């Protein structure tokens, strides 16, 4: 097995995807190369990926799907001739519930078929926008899961189903949970706390509701 | 009625106030920097879409003529969607039973999408249509029409 991992985040080495990739790769002993979509031509990277029997594309979710730069790589990927190549995906995202990624997951499994690659599955982890800013100990569980995922991948050439299942939780938000989250935000203790902190740090809090492209009435 | 056209194919002129032709000007890719939320709220670090943002928000209707690329929206179209994030707030609402961004503006245009291209299965076609519906649901736009270009009738669209 020789593995190519493509980090599909526009933030490249500074993003959360990079952290996912690093911890996953910790568990892997087989030859494994990591490349960043942000620093390379999409066509080059697509062509380069043909040299590997196993390709993993890791990415942040953007608007229920892959970032534009990842789709540009996909557009340059050619169907495999002999069907001996394999492809899997790791998706991490801001929203908590992994069900938000169902469009992407469906697309990626279909894409593998289109490309005549064996589909290895898609790992989905929500609530990950803050991973790169969180203190090490808050990420402990996640990092351990990723390493196990890597070790199992190294052993079996596939993602561990149980780990996938655990990481995907919560799949949906219950009514009660939604009410609670909504309520926490109203009192400024939910996820809005994070935005407030960042906006204040950037001295942009007063401008948070700006509407720079609003058309003043009557003009075109 | 004010109309904006986002186009990836064809040359049938659709009367409109603003047209974004992705074949001529591919938008610059989102860098994921979050300046549009946390540093310069509402503004992207790239300026290439400023006129588009203004026209989009002023429009009553947006007509998208989209390609099908590897069974999905094209990379350029996807980048355009990514670049529309500045039109929404970072804040999340859970009122609909799932996470969703809060609108930044009072009003967003209705959207109709017509596509050109082939699918390898009925499932793939459904996913493509569902996906576009979903994007504009997240974008707080009414989007009733996602159809093959053959369904596009000028009169209907300008009604
Ligand atoms: C343009 C844009 C669109 C996004 N869309 C979604 C989305 O639809 N759902 C979601 O859960 N998170 C979304 N996110 C959040 C990212 O997935 C999340 O912050 C991720 O951790 C970023 O990873 P990175 O640092 O590796 O780039 C979006 C972020 C950006 C910049």
């Amino acid at each position: 097995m020789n593995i190519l991992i493509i980090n599909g985040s526009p933030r490249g080495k500074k993003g959360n995807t990079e952290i996912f990739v690093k911890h996953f790769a910790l568990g892997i002993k087989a030859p494994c190369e990591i490349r960043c979509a942000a620093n390379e031509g999409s066509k080059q990277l697509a062509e380069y990926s043909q040299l590997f029997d196993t390709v993993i594309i890791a990415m942040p979710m953007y608007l229920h799907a892959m970032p534009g730069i990842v789709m540009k790589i996909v557009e340059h990927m050619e169907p495999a001739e002999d069907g001996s190549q394999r492809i899997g995906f790791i998706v991490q995202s801001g929203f908590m519930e992994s069900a938000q990624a169902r469009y992407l997951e469906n697309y990626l499994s279909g894409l593998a078929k289109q490309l005549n690659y064996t589909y290895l599955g898609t790992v989905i982890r929500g609530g990950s926008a803050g991973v790169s800013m969180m203190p090490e100990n808050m990420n402990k569980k996640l990092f351990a899961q990723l390493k196990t995922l890597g070790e199992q991948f190294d052993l079996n050439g596939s993602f561990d189903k149980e780990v996938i299942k655990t990481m995907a939780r919560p799949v949906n938000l219950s009514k009660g949970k939604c009410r609670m989250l909504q309520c926490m935000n109203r009192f400024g203790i939910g996820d809005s706390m994070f935005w407030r902190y960042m906006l204040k740090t950037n001295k942009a809090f007063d401008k948070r509701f700006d509407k720079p492209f609003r058309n003043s009435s009557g003009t075109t | 009625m004010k109309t904006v056209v986002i186009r990836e194919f064809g040359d049938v002129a659709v009367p409109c106030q603003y047209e974004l032709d992705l074949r001529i000007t591919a938008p610059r890719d989102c860098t994921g920097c979050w300046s549009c939320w946390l540093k310069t709220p509402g503004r992207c670090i790239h300026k290439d879409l400023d006129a588009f943002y203004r026209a989009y928000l002023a429009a009553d209707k947006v007509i998208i003529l989209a390609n099908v690329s590897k069974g999905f929206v094209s990379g350029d179209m996807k980048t355009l969607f990514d670049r529309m994030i500045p039109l929404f707030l970072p804040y999340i609402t859970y009122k609909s039973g799932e996470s969703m961004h809060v609108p930044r503006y009072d009003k967003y245009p209705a959207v109709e999408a017509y596509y050109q291209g082939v699918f390898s299965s009925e499932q793939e076609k459904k996913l493509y249509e569902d996906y576009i519906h979903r994007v504009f649901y997240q974008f707080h736009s009414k989007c009733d029409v996602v159809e093959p270009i053959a369904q596009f009738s000028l009169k209907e669209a300008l009604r």
Side-chain angles (χ1 to χ4, degrees), chain A residues 168-184:
Chain A
R169 284 186 199 127
V171 177
N172 286 296
L173 300 178
S174 65
K175 270 195 185 135
K177 175 112 190 184
C178 282
R179 257 200 307 273
M180 187 187 79
L181 290 164
Q182 193 70 25
C183 191
M184 281 166 71

Side-chain angles (χ1 to χ4, degrees), chain B residues 3-159:
Chain B
T3 306
V4 163
V5 173
I6 300 169
R7 179 196 290 278
E8 277 191 299
F9 67 82
D11 43 22
V12 182
V14 182
C16 63
Q17 272 65 35
Y18 187 89
E19 175 167 305
L20 179 67
D21 190 329
L22 300 183
R23 295 168 301 185
I24 299 169
T25 40
R28 299 184 65 180
D29 291 307
C30 171
T31 66
C33 70
W34 276 5
S35 290
C36 64
W37 278 352
L38 301 177
K39 288 187 185 153
T40 52
R43 292 174 202 274
C44 179
I45 51 159
H46 299 317
K47 301 297 164 213
D48 57 332
L49 290 179
D50 284 4
F52 167 76
Y53 292 145
R54 202 173 286 283
Y56 182 89
L57 291 164
D60 303 294
K61 184 188 274 192
V62 171
I63 297 173
I64 302 181
L65 305 174
N67 284 331
V68 178
S69 184
K70 286 261 192 312
F72 206 62
V73 296
S74 72
D76 285 336
M77 188 62 78
K78 187 61 195 32
T79 285
L80 179 68
F81 291 170
D82 298 347
R83 291 281 311 279
M84 286 167 69
I85 274 286
L87 305 182
F88 305 86
L89 294 174
Y91 298 109
I92 303 170
T93 165
Y94 301 93
K95 279 186 183 149
S96 61
E98 56 180 344
S99 310
M100 219 179 144
H101 287 294
V102 177
R104 179 181 292 279
Y105 293 89
D106 308 325
K107 172 186 157 272
Y108 296 95
V111 172
E112 287 179 13
Y114 299 91
Y115 57 83
Q116 163 184 283
V118 287
F119 296 100
S120 59
S121 66
E122 206 36 50
Q123 243 173 321
E124 200 177 87
K125 173 172 177 279
K126 181 169 185 310
L127 177 66
Y128 181 95
E129 292 179 356
D130 288 352
Y131 177 68
I132 292 180
H133 279 297
R134 176 68 194 197
V135 167
F136 289 97
Y137 172 76
Q138 183 66 246
F139 282 166
H140 299 274
S141 272
K142 186 169 146 12
C143 174
D144 294 333
V145 180
V146 180
E147 288 175 349
I149 185 64
Q151 309 290 323
F152 179 68
S153 113
L154 207 56
K155 230 165 70 202
E156 180 72 11
L158 296 176
R159 198 184 45 188

Side-chain angles (χ1 to χ4, degrees), chain A residues 23-215:
Chain A
H23 286 269
F24 175 75
L26 277 180
I28 291 182
K29 297 192 200 81
C32 173
E33 193 179 333
I34 302 169
R35 303 287 281 255
C36 271
N39 320 327
E40 280 180 69
S42 46
K43 188 155 186 261
Q44 277 156 281
L45 211 46
E47 281 167 5
Y48 190 63
S49 73
Q50 294 182 328
L51 305 175
F52 295 79
D53 59 38
T54 307
V55 179
I56 294 174
I57 307 182
M59 69 190 97
M61 185 158 74
Y62 272 23
L63 265 317
H64 306 292
M66 72 301 276
I69 62 168
V70 172
M71 192 57 209
K72 289 176 188 182
I73 297 173
V74 168
E75 284 180 314
H76 285 111
M77 289 177 84
E78 297 290 342
E81 271 161 30
D82 62 354
S84 68
Q85 279 146 305
R86 299 142 16 103
I87 192 162
F89 304 89
I90 299 176
V91 174
Q92 53 83 23
S93 68
F95 292 157
M96 246 177 264
E97 68 273 37
S98 62
Q100 296 262 355
R102 62 186 174 275
Y103 302 88
L104 180 54
E105 189 181 15
N106 282 345
Y107 176 69
L108 295 174
S109 67
L111 175 69
K113 210 191 233 168
Q114 237 190 87
L115 292 174
N116 195 25
Y117 278 49
T118 303
Y119 177 58
L120 299 174
T122 300
V123 178
I124 302 167
R125 193 344 171 120
S128 301
V131 166
S132 64
M133 280 180 280
M134 248 143 35
E136 183 86 20
N137 64 329
M138 281 182 76
N139 286 323
K140 236 180 171 163
K141 199 170 123 202
L142 169 66
F143 292 170
Q145 286 167 334
L146 287 165
K147 192 172 169 213
T148 308
L149 212 56
E151 286 165 351
Q152 292 299 320
F153 194 86
D154 196 60
L155 277 178
N156 312 320
S158 61
F159 295 127
D160 188 284
K161 296 238 158 46
E162 278 310 306
V163 181
I164 284 196
K165 227 166 141 185
T166 316
M167 289 181 76
R169 284 186 199 127
V171 177
N172 286 296
L173 300 178
S174 65
K175 270 195 185 135
K177 175 112 190 184
C178 282
R179 257 200 307 273
M180 187 187 79
L181 290 164
Q182 193 70 25
C183 191
M184 281 166 71
N185 269 345
R186 199 159 50 238
F187 292 109
I189 52 170
D191 35 65
S192 62
M193 212 162 75
F194 170 75
W195 304 118
R196 186 171 59 228
Y197 170 75
M198 294 298 292
L199 282 157
K200 285 204 163 150
T201 308
N202 294 329
K203 299 195 167 44
F205 188 69
D206 295 341
K207 290 187 232 148
R208 65 194 182 285
F209 298 126
D210 272 12
K211 298 178 169 71
F213 298 107
R214 182 175 54 187
N215 297 263

